[in-house]
Amino acid sequence: MSLPELLAPVGSIDHLKLAIFSGASSIYLSGKKFGARKYAKNFSLSEIESAVKFAHLHNVKVYVTVNTLIKDNELFEVADYVFKLYKCGIDGILVQDIGLLKVVKYICPNLNIHASTQMNIHNIEGIKWAKEQGISRIVLPRELTYNEVKEMVDFAHSVGIEIEIFLHGALCYSYSGRCLLSSLIGNRSGNRGTCAQPCRQKYQISIDDVEYNKINILSKINSKTNIKTNSRTNSKTSTKTNNLKVNSNQHNGEYLISPKDLSLFDHLPKLIDLGVDSLKIEGRMRSKEYITIVVSQYRQALNQLKGKLNFNNKNKNINKNNTNKSNSSNISKNYKNYRNHSSHKYHDSFKDNKYYNSKENLGMVFNRGFTSGHFLTKNNQKLINRRKPGHVGLFVGNVSNFNPKLNEISISLKKGLINIPERGDGILIESFDGDYGFEISNNPVLDVNKKNNQKYLLVKLVKENNNVNVSLKQGDNIYLTKRKKFNDLTKNMLHNNDKKSFKKSIVSIKFSIDSQNSDTLYFPVLEANVILGNGKKLNFIDRSDDSWELARNKPITTNQLKKQLLKIGDLPFYIDNIDIFYSGNLFTPLSKINEFRRDFFNKLEILILNSYIPDDNDLNISKNRLKDFKRNFISISNIINSSSNEININNSINNSNINSNNNISNKSDISNYNNINNSNIDSNIINKTNHHLDNNKVVNESFNIINESSNNKTSKYSVSAYINDLEILKNISNNDYGETNFNRLYLEVPVENDFLESKPIDVSYYIMFLKEALNISNNQKYELVWKWPDIAHKDTKEGLIKIVGILKKLNIKLNIMTSFLGMNSYLKDNYSVNIYGSYALNVFNSISASNLKDFVLLTFSPELSINDLKTLMDNYEVKNPVPEVLVKGNIETLITRKPFIDKKHYSYINSICNNNPKFNFIKDKSINDINFYLDDLKNNFYPIKSVEGGNLILNSRETSLEDQIPRLVSFGINNFSIDARWKSKDYLLNLKL
């Protein structure tokens, strides 16, 4: 059993060096564009080239993130960029965009492609799809549980795909790649690398009163339960989690959707047992100290566990050798038990003083409170820190006494505290009047009460600023938020070789003399056999051009020669052995020996670096494919507008054995209406819009889809609607909605509101609901399509497939809308249904659409602007799925597996409502009948809805692009949709499309 890769974030050159010197086995970084952390310092192309060389010499792999969604007008630039990265010898590229995935595999077929967590591959079908696409590694969503991760790892390994999971760092409230909140609020798209982190802002929960006015319910709950977010808590009423102090009121603050930070430090043995290939640390925008401390603590822990593993494996092998064949069945059983319990065997010994010191270090350098995430957390409430969105620090104790005259504070230190505050450290005191922080300017005095062994720390000059109006009282919590020694360690690591920890290449050296059968020419020869960190073996031989001569007085001795050859300074090599074949009778100046040694190792470094670079043949293939891509992509618009059968880029890529039958889980960038000319869009409408593809091939006339070829623009268009209410379905069937005739209805099965945790899928309920819907829709002109939830972990996915199987046995065939990667092929192959793609796929460019040809219809990303759609349609291939654009409705801003409200809040909602006359109208109703909103305290109310497997937040403002339909039709888009889910029965009444 081997250790997983430790993958560290790198946002600058110094971050790179610190990550490597701290023990990272691989790093990930981004260029100046196309990375999901645009506001990190990041790297120019020349800096990436230097970073790759530096990392490879230190046996560290380099992965480059190109994980934003790509617009059509960026495809040339990103294709050039990827080719240049390939030339640098990077070890892999991380992508989110499915179109880019196809381009990379075509241009650089030998480049390892890692599927970003933003692709949201969270089930077995997604892994199958990834395998067909040529993906070598999948970064799993952070929402997976232990059992779900285990299933994914086991299956991925069976098909030759690596699995990477997040180990430490910030958590997103939403599934990555499925959050449009920042985009819709402030035109800063997370899917384009510019997330403004709106999840870290204050919110409240509001509901509708009888007149549909928004009432802030959370503040009333806090008032009723006497909860104050800034209330002081003494040590007796607080709880300790992961060596951090967490106030008892932590879950009752206003930061309702601000998750704690992930830390799986406690669970490293379990991760090793799972066989995860790579453990990823988040934090490209964190400090240098963060990189140093987090990477080094995890490296030390992993190395410690490796020693335990090797010891246990050695004992296991000894026991196996001492057991005869008759006990083979017992061996198998014992090994199974070893697999099940091996983590427990070394987990206890893992928790020594080093472990607790590491835990404190991780807490001090940065944390928002730590959680094991969904991986092992049974209570989802523990995932959120509603009290504070920033750094919490390490709890060190409570105020024992404050002397305002002497300006001194006595701290009663926490039992077992290892890191006692020192001069230069940062301290935060949580007082009833608010938080107060300061830097310790004098050496604190440590005192111990001999009776109870309680430690006290006396800190002077607490209030250097006399204007600070904070009352410090006994019992106030104290946190260590900054550690001076971390800064010192980081500086030393950059400049002091003794502090560096990385895997060196193993070198064996052989020295000999080549006399060329001459009595006067004696040329020194060095030969090196090298074993790199990746296991590759290299051999290098070099002969000096400077001949040695026979010694007249003092020849160069063997010891002198060996000493000079071993002077390699800080080169990243470990000289394992040196053999010297030399008669001892020659002379040369020591400077010549040193010069030869330096030249030899310089050449050896070049050889090592070149071993990572693609060979000339591969580079020529990629260079020619890049030219083909550009030439053929340019001609696509001409091909579309003619009857020519020329080969286009999509055909070229398909000929490279890349399976193009797939769905996508991508997101996109923000639309900017400032760039839209002659637009009549109302200023109150959000600055985004769904727009999408052009006309497509005719699939089936009965589908009521307009499929004109793009060179045959038409004024006709079809209209579809998303619904989840059988009463609305009846009204549509009875033609109660006047002038609008719907061609398709995407029916989602509604679930009860449960904002605390998701429940198992109710198969019987689904069957009954769908059967009733089919009865209502019998002999109607519209097509009924079953819309699947956009997230389906193992149990939900299996429930959905079971429902499809039951419907098949009942001789019911119902077409399906889904956004699951790989599920489209499975459903088509096994149940012969047609598959539609929801806007959760976030198709962002024409090549993405070409990579999803198994779909009958695709809805474009709601983040694309009008101009983006125009460009996309100019490049759109007529063989691609039918395009559709959402023109009206509240866009889904995010989907989450995390809770919205605390259990205490949830239990008090009914009692509050029953005691307030404004809520009399819901006295006899259930929680399911109440409209809940996320209130940003700026008069924006985001509807909160439960869906299968999680919860949604809808946009506070409704997209309304009916007036833009003629313009979109002129682009060749002829299918438009309305999201009427959770709308009233009258919503569609006055709609005219």
Side-chain angles (χ1 to χ4, degrees):
M1 189 184 300
S2 59
L3 289 182
E5 168 187 86
L6 182 60
L7 176 57
V10 167
S12 69
I13 295 295
D14 281 348
H15 282 77
L16 170 81
K17 294 179 179 179
L18 289 168
I20 291 173
F21 296 157
S22 298
S25 42
S26 57
I27 60 98
Y28 64 101
L29 55 81
S30 174
K32 298 293 186 181
K33 298 183 71 173
F34 309 119
R37 293 292 183 272
K38 184 176 181 179
Y39 299 118
K41 189 174 181 180
N42 293 321
F43 293 74
S44 66
L45 191 62
S46 61
E47 288 173 334
I48 291 177
E49 185 175 5
S50 298
V52 170
K53 290 179 179 179
F54 186 85
H56 283 166
L57 283 176
H58 290 82
N59 290 301
V60 172
K61 293 181 179 179
V62 179
Y63 308 127
V64 179
T65 64
V66 190
N67 56 339
T68 60
L69 295 178
I70 308 299
K71 298 180 180 181
D72 267 72
N73 60 10
E74 296 169 329
L75 286 168
F76 276 21
E77 182 182 3
V78 76
D80 276 326
Y81 176 55
V82 169
F83 175 67
K84 291 173 182 176
L85 292 176
Y86 183 56
K87 287 174 63 178
C88 290
I90 65 171
D91 299 281
I93 184 172
L94 189 75
V95 301
Q96 175 193 5
D97 190 280
I98 289 185
L100 177 60
L101 166 64
K102 191 173 184 180
V103 171
V104 172
K105 201 61 187 176
Y106 174 67
I107 295 175
C108 306
N110 293 325
L111 179 59
N112 290 321
I113 300 176
H114 297 182
S116 167
T117 186
Q118 294 158 294
M119 274 194 180
N120 200 20
I121 297 176
H122 61 280
N123 53 42
I124 297 301
E125 282 65 34
I127 296 177
K128 294 177 181 177
W129 173 87
K131 179 66 176 178
E132 293 170 351
Q133 292 286 321
I135 289 171
S136 60
R137 176 184 291 185
I138 296 170
V139 185
L140 295 183
R142 283 165 278 199
E143 286 74 15
L144 297 186
T145 65
Y146 174 87
N147 288 334
E148 289 166 346
V149 171
K150 185 178 188 311
E151 180 193 41
M152 297 284 280
V153 170
D154 290 345
F155 185 81
H157 287 174
S158 73
V159 296
I161 288 182
E162 295 180 344
I163 291 295
E164 175 180 310
I165 71 167
F166 281 90
L167 175 69
H168 190 98
L171 289 172
C172 293
Y173 187 72
S174 171
Y175 284 85
S176 292
R178 292 296 319 278
C179 184
L180 307 183
L181 189 58
S182 177
S183 174
L184 296 175
I185 288 176
N187 279 1
R188 286 180 55 176
S189 171
N191 292 311
R192 297 278 288 175
T194 59
C195 179
Q197 294 190 312
C199 57
R200 304 298 179 186
Q201 304 303 313
K202 291 182 178 180
Y203 296 94
Q204 294 286 359
I205 297 292
S206 295
I207 68 173
D208 286 332
D209 67 8
V210 67
E211 297 176 350
Y212 292 98
N213 297 311
K214 305 297 185 292
I215 303 297
N216 187 313
I217 190 70
L218 189 57
S219 62
K220 296 181 181 297
I221 293 171
N222 284 337
S223 175
K224 182 176 179 65
T225 57
N226 197 27
I227 295 170
K228 294 183 179 180
T229 57
N230 65 343
S231 63
R232 179 163 41 87
T233 308
N234 62 34
S235 58
K236 293 182 180 180
T237 61
S238 60
T239 57
K240 300 174 185 177
T241 304
N242 292 341
N243 287 313
L244 303 175
K245 179 85 166 203
V246 180
N247 284 345
S248 61
N249 66 350
Q250 175 173 329
H251 304 301
N252 301 308
E254 295 180 296
Y255 298 95
L256 301 184
I257 59 173
S258 179
K260 297 178 183 178
D261 283 352
L262 177 69
S263 177
L264 296 180
F265 188 81
D266 284 342
H267 309 295
L268 285 174
K270 289 182 179 292
L271 296 173
I272 294 172
D273 269 357
L274 279 175
V276 173
D277 299 285
S278 181
L279 301 176
K280 184 173 193 170
I281 298 169
E282 184 276 338
R284 273 184 284 163
M285 296 181 69
R286 292 271 169 253
S287 66
K288 297 176 186 178
E289 291 78 12
Y290 176 89
I291 300 299
T292 301
I293 298 304
V294 175
V295 175
S296 63
Q297 301 309 298
Y298 276 100
R299 170 49 62 202
Q300 292 170 20
L302 286 169
N303 288 347
Q304 182 181 353
L305 287 170
K306 183 178 182 180
K308 306 289 184 184
L309 284 169
N310 290 339
F311 178 79
N312 289 337
N313 288 336
K314 182 178 180 180
N315 286 342
K316 180 169 67 70
N317 290 331
I318 292 174
N319 291 334
K320 184 182 291 186
N321 293 334
N322 292 334
T323 305
N324 57 38
K325 294 182 179 180
S326 62
N327 291 327
S328 60
S329 61
N330 291 329
I331 293 174
S332 177
K333 183 177 180 180
N334 290 335
Y335 180 70
K336 183 177 181 181
N337 290 333
Y338 166 81
R339 282 287 300 168
N340 291 336
H341 303 291
S342 60
S343 63
H344 302 294
K345 290 182 178 181
Y346 49 79
H347 189 269
D348 291 339
S349 59
F350 172 53
K351 292 189 174 182
D352 55 13
N353 285 336
K354 287 183 179 180
Y355 161 83
Y356 289 108
N357 183 55
S358 293
K359 291 277 289 181
E360 290 188 1
N361 287 339
L362 291 172
M364 283 185 290
V365 74
F366 189 89
N367 81 91
R368 297 181 177 94
F370 281 140
T371 174
S372 59
H374 295 274
F375 185 70
L376 284 170
T377 301
K378 294 182 179 179
N379 182 1
N380 283 346
Q381 299 301 325
K382 294 182 178 181
L383 296 171
I384 308 297
N385 182 354
R386 294 182 169 88
R387 188 181 58 85
K388 188 176 181 180
H391 181 36
V392 173
L394 175 74
F395 174 70
V396 295
N398 303 97
V399 173
S400 175
N401 182 52
F402 174 61
N403 188 329
K405 292 183 179 180
L406 298 177
N407 201 12
E408 294 178 346
I409 188 170
S410 176
I411 304 173
S412 176
L413 295 176
K414 185 185 74 170
K415 296 286 187 182
L417 182 69
I418 298 174
N419 288 273
I420 296 174
E422 300 172 348
R423 181 178 180 178
D425 289 350
I427 290 290
L428 178 72
I429 304 175
E430 284 188 342
S431 167
F432 183 82
D433 298 325
D435 294 349
Y436 173 66
F438 65 96
E439 183 177 294
I440 301 175
S441 55
N442 288 340
N443 291 323
V445 178
L446 182 65
D447 189 23
V448 181
N449 186 326
K450 295 181 179 180
K451 292 182 178 180
N452 57 13
N453 205 33
Q454 175 63 49
K455 294 180 180 179
Y456 295 90
L457 192 70
L458 185 66
V459 180
K460 299 182 179 181
L461 294 177
V462 173
K463 289 187 179 181
E464 294 182 319
N465 184 350
N466 293 326
N467 295 324
V468 174
N469 186 23
V470 176
S471 176
L472 304 181
K473 296 182 179 180
Q474 185 177 10
D476 285 345
N477 295 331
I478 299 181
Y479 298 84
L480 184 57
T481 57
K482 187 188 74 170
R483 196 68 160 152
K484 181 180 180 296
K485 72 176 184 180
F486 289 170
N487 182 266
D488 297 338
L489 175 64
T490 298
K491 290 181 179 178
N492 288 335
M493 187 169 289
L494 284 173
H495 307 292
N496 187 343
N497 291 336
D498 294 337
K499 300 294 183 180
K500 298 175 182 178
S501 173
F502 57 88
K503 190 173 185 179
K504 297 183 177 181
S505 297
I506 300 174
V507 181
S508 296
I509 296 176
K510 175 184 175 182
F511 177 87
S512 60
I513 296 292
D514 180 8
S515 63
Q516 295 186 337
N517 297 320
S518 170
D519 294 331
T520 59
L521 298 176
Y522 303 94
F523 295 97
V525 177
L526 279 174
E527 178 180 359
N529 287 299
V530 185
I531 302 177
L532 302 181
N534 58 13
K536 185 182 293 186
K537 297 180 180 180
L538 302 176
N539 177 264
F540 177 61
I541 301 175
D542 191 32
R543 194 191 77 164
S544 173
D545 293 331
D546 295 323
S547 174
W548 291 14
E549 60 186 31
L550 290 171
R552 297 177 182 177
N553 296 315
K554 294 183 178 181
I556 295 294
T557 66
T558 299
N559 287 337
Q560 280 182 305
L561 182 57
K562 183 176 182 180
K563 181 180 178 181
Q564 297 307 120
L565 293 178
L566 289 176
K567 289 182 176 181
I568 63 173
D570 61 352
L571 292 178
F573 303 122
Y574 171 72
I575 307 299
D576 180 53
N577 181 58
I578 181 167
D579 292 323
I580 298 178
F581 297 92
Y582 164 60
S583 60
N585 62 340
L586 301 177
F587 174 80
T588 192
L590 293 180
S591 61
K592 288 294 184 180
I593 299 177
N594 293 335
E595 181 182 348
F596 180 38
R597 182 200 67 236
R598 287 192 296 268
D599 185 59
F600 176 80
F601 278 102
N602 285 338
K603 292 177 180 178
L604 180 60
E605 285 186 347
I606 293 172
L607 176 69
I608 291 173
L609 293 176
N610 286 339
S611 72
Y612 290 91
I613 303 293
D615 61 35
D616 291 341
N617 183 55
D618 286 340
L619 287 176
N620 285 331
I621 292 173
S622 293
K623 186 176 182 179
N624 290 331
R625 288 192 171 200
L626 176 62
K627 291 179 180 178
D628 290 341
F629 167 75
K630 291 182 175 181
R631 180 178 62 253
N632 292 325
F633 190 75
I634 288 174
S635 67
I636 286 179
S637 58
N638 295 328
I639 296 171
I640 291 175
N641 292 302
S642 70
S643 58
S644 170
N645 290 321
E646 293 179 53
I647 296 176
N648 59 31
I649 178 59
N650 298 303
N651 291 332
S652 299
I653 296 178
N654 288 336
N655 288 337
S656 66
N657 296 320
I658 305 301
N659 188 328
S660 64
N661 302 334
N662 305 293
N663 18 3
I664 170 175
S665 76
N666 293 357
K667 314 308 146 192
S668 9
D669 170 44
I670 10 190
S671 321
N672 186 348
Y673 275 105
N674 294 327
N675 295 329
I676 300 175
N677 297 320
N678 302 319
S679 172
N680 296 320
I681 299 178
D682 186 85
S683 60
N684 291 323
I685 299 173
I686 52 171
N687 295 347
K688 335 210 126 15
T689 136
N690 323 22
H691 318 65
H692 167 51
L693 320 115
D694 161 61
N695 314 294
N696 287 22
K697 59 182 180 180
V698 175
V699 181
N700 188 320
E701 292 294 339
S702 65
F703 292 168
N704 297 313
I705 298 175
I706 304 298
N707 303 303
E708 307 288 339
S709 61
S710 62
N711 61 322
N712 240 344
K713 303 290 195 292
T714 175
S715 60
K716 297 187 297 181
Y717 57 85
S718 73
V719 179
S720 59
Y722 294 81
I723 62 173
N724 58 358
D725 188 325
L726 291 180
E727 290 301 314
I728 292 180
L729 180 63
K730 289 178 183 178
N731 292 342
I732 293 175
S733 301
N734 294 332
N735 198 26
D736 292 341
Y737 291 135
E739 298 182 18
T740 301
N741 293 315
F742 295 99
N743 302 82
R744 290 169 308 286
L745 297 177
Y746 306 129
L747 179 66
E748 183 172 28
V749 179
V751 299
E752 291 187 355
N753 286 336
D754 190 342
F755 303 129
L756 300 176
E757 56 187 359
S758 58
K759 297 178 180 178
I761 188 169
D762 188 337
V763 173
S764 299
Y765 164 68
Y766 265 72
I767 295 294
M768 292 176 60
F769 187 92
L770 292 172
K771 287 177 67 176
E772 184 175 354
L774 287 164
N775 288 332
I776 296 171
S777 304
N778 190 32
N779 295 323
Q780 294 294 324
K781 294 181 180 180
Y782 59 77
E783 178 191 7
L784 187 67
V785 178
W786 174 20
K787 183 191 180 302
W788 277 21
D790 291 316
I791 299 293
H793 296 282
K794 182 178 183 293
D795 293 341
T796 301
K797 180 203 69 176
E798 291 176 352
L800 292 170
I801 293 175
K802 183 177 181 180
I803 293 167
V804 177
I806 293 173
L807 292 176
K808 184 177 181 180
K809 290 181 179 178
L810 296 174
N811 202 27
I812 297 174
K813 180 179 178 181
L814 191 58
N815 293 330
I816 293 172
M817 170 175 275
T818 184
S819 61
F820 299 156
L821 295 169
M823 186 58 72
N824 54 320
S825 299
Y826 174 84
L827 292 172
K828 288 188 70 173
D829 295 343
N830 291 277
Y831 297 99
S832 302
V833 295
N834 293 307
I835 307 299
Y836 294 73
S838 70
Y839 66 83
L841 287 171
N842 272 323
V843 177
F844 217 68
N845 55 63
S846 56
I847 297 183
S848 290
S850 76
N851 209 9
L852 299 168
K853 287 186 176 178
D854 267 2
F855 286 87
V856 169
L857 176 146
L858 291 173
T859 305
F860 277 141
S861 166
E863 292 189 275
L864 287 169
S865 72
I866 293 285
N867 285 347
D868 293 333
L869 284 176
K870 176 65 169 64
T871 305
L872 188 156
M873 294 306 300
D874 287 343
N875 297 320
Y876 199 68
E877 186 189 8
V878 293
K879 294 181 180 180
N880 289 344
V882 173
E884 186 166 270
V885 171
L886 180 71
V887 293
K888 192 171 182 63
N890 294 80
I891 293 173
E892 298 175 9
T893 63
L894 65 81
I895 183 168
T896 183
R897 207 179 190 182
K898 298 175 180 66
F900 279 106
I901 55 179
D902 187 276
K903 283 186 176 181
K904 291 181 180 179
H905 294 153
Y906 198 75
S907 64
Y908 277 113
I909 287 177
N910 273 329
S911 62
I912 290 292
C913 294
N914 290 335
N915 293 324
N916 191 322
K918 288 188 176 183
F919 302 111
N920 284 338
F921 75 104
I922 61 171
K923 275 190 175 182
D924 299 325
K925 296 183 179 181
S926 68
I927 294 294
N928 194 53
D929 298 314
I930 303 175
N931 290 323
F932 287 89
Y933 301 88
L934 193 68
D935 176 3
D936 68 356
L937 308 180
K938 299 175 183 177
N939 205 33
N940 295 310
F941 300 92
Y942 299 84
I944 304 171
K945 302 297 178 183
S946 287
V947 291
E948 197 69 63
N951 296 296
L952 288 176
I953 297 180
L954 302 178
N955 194 24
S956 62
R957 299 181 182 181
E958 184 175 88
T959 295
S960 185
L961 301 175
E962 303 98 312
D963 292 343
Q964 295 298 309
I965 288 179
R967 188 175 180 190
L968 295 171
V969 169
S970 73
F971 298 163
I973 302 172
N974 304 110
N975 296 274
F976 305 99
S977 61
I978 302 160
D979 195 340
R981 293 174 297 167
W982 301 289
K983 298 293 187 181
S984 69
K985 298 174 185 177
D986 296 332
Y987 178 76
L988 298 175
L989 184 61
N990 299 317
L991 186 68
K992 296 181 181 180
L993 289 180

